[in-house]
Amino acid sequence: MKSKTSHYMQKLSIFIVLIVLFIICSIISPYFLQYSNLINVTRQLCVGILIAYGEMLLIISGFLDLSVGSVLALAGVFSVSVYKSTGSMAMALIAALVTGIVCNLINAVFVGHFNVPAFIATLGMQQAARGLALYFTGGQNILQLGKFVKIGQGMVGPVPVPVIIIIGVTVVVWYLVNNTRYGRSLYAIGGSRPAAEASGINAKKSIYISYILNGIMVGLAGMIFMARNNAGLPNGAVGYEMTGLTAAIVGGTSFTGGIGTVSGTIAGAFIIGFLENVMNLLGVNSYIQQIIEGAIIVLAVAFDVVSKSKKSRKVIIVKETAESKK
C-alpha cells in the first residue's frame, strides 16, 4: 500500500510542480496571464510537444534522436517548397512526413540492424540533414508562404490550429503507448532488450516503428515551425533536440529506458515552455537561459539515476532479507 501511494505521488509531483510554476510566473510577470501571451506560449509549445513525444517513445525503449532539429528544418523547407510549387497543403504535408520518415528510417537501419549507438547514428544524421537543407535552399530563407502559415498561425474559433493537431496526436500516442502490443514492447525493451527478445518481442520491429513515429512527429513539427515563422528556415530549429529531450526527461521519462508517460511528457513540455516564456518576459539574457536549460536536463537525469539506484538497492535488501529468513 505504501509503495503504491509513493508511486502515485511521484506521478502527481510533476503536475504539482507545473501548477506551482504557473502561479509563480503569473506573480513575477504581469504580462504572463495576458491572453495574447498564453496563446503565443501555446503555439510555441506545440512544436516542442511533438518533438518530446518522438523522443519519449525512443527514450522509453533505450534510444534517442539527436537529429531532430536538423530533420525538422529539412522537412520544413521541403514542405514549404512543395507548397509554393503546387499550392497544395496535402502535398506539402506528404513532403514533410516523407522527409521525416526517410531520415528516421536511415537512423533505424543503423541503430536496429547494425547496432550503431543511437547517439552516433543520429549525430551523423544531424549533420547530413542540416547540410542537405542548406544545399537545397542555397543557404537562403524561403519567403512569401501565403496560406501555408495557417497551419502554424491559424485559428478555429478561439483554438489555434496547432493545438488541434496536438490534441489529435496526443490521443493517438496515448493509445499506442497504453493499449497496444507495440507500447508494451517499448517498456520491455527499455527495461532489458535481451530479456524482451527472449520473451518473444521483436525488438528490431519496435525500433523501426519508434523511429518512424518520431519521423512523423518531426515532419509535422517542421511544418508548424516554418508556418509560425512565416518562412522556410534551413538554419532554423538549431538545438531543438535538446528541447524535446528536456521536456521528456523533466516529465519523468527515464533516460536509462523503461519508464515514461504521455501525460508526464506534456507536463514537462509545459514546464520548459513556461520557464522560457517568463525568462523572455523578464528580459533574461538568452545565454543565461541556455545555461539554465542545460542545468535542468542534467539535474533531471541525475535525479532519475539516483531514484533508480535507490529502488535497486531496496530490491536487493528485500531479496537478501527474504533469503536470510529461508
Side-chain angles (χ1 to χ4, degrees), residues 120-290:
I120 300 300
T122 59
L123 189 62
M125 177 57 71
Q126 181 189 72
Q127 298 298 313
R130 183 68 66 181
L132 184 55
L134 291 166
Y135 178 79
F136 177 74
T137 61
Q140 302 298 311
N141 297 339
I142 303 173
L143 306 175
Q144 299 177 347
L145 304 191
K147 293 182 179 179
F148 184 90
V149 299
K150 287 185 177 180
I151 195 170
Q153 301 180 21
M155 302 282 287
V156 177
V159 184
V161 170
V163 173
I164 295 172
I165 295 171
I166 289 297
I167 291 170
V169 171
T170 299
V171 171
V172 173
V173 174
W174 181 87
Y175 180 80
L176 286 173
V177 169
N178 294 285
N179 294 282
T180 66
R181 182 180 296 178
Y182 159 72
R184 290 187 290 274
S185 72
L186 287 183
Y187 293 99
I189 295 167
S192 173
R193 182 173 175 177
E197 289 178 329
S199 67
I201 291 173
N202 188 334
K204 285 184 180 179
K205 181 180 177 181
S206 293
I207 291 168
Y208 271 86
I209 294 173
S210 294
Y211 274 104
I212 288 170
L213 289 172
N214 182 55
I216 292 171
M217 305 295 173
V218 174
L220 280 173
M223 287 188 73
I224 295 172
F225 178 86
M226 300 304 170
R228 272 190 51 244
N229 287 280
N230 197 18
L233 307 174
N235 265 321
V238 173
Y240 267 49
E241 52 277 349
M242 296 310 296
T243 300
L245 284 168
T246 306
I249 293 169
V250 169
T253 303
S254 174
F255 201 68
T256 54
I259 298 172
T261 63
V262 174
S263 58
T265 300
I266 295 173
F270 270 93
I271 287 171
I272 300 304
F274 286 161
L275 277 173
E276 289 179 348
N277 180 250
V278 79
M279 285 191 291
N280 286 329
L281 292 174
L282 294 173
V284 177
N285 186 287
S286 60
Y287 302 132
I288 300 297
Q289 291 187 33
Q290 290 180 28

Side-chain angles (χ1 to χ4, degrees), residues 309-321:
S309 64
K310 284 182 178 178
K311 286 179 182 178
S312 62
R313 281 200 296 269
K314 284 180 180 178
V315 170
I316 292 169
I317 291 168
V318 169
K319 284 184 177 178
E320 288 178 346
T321 305

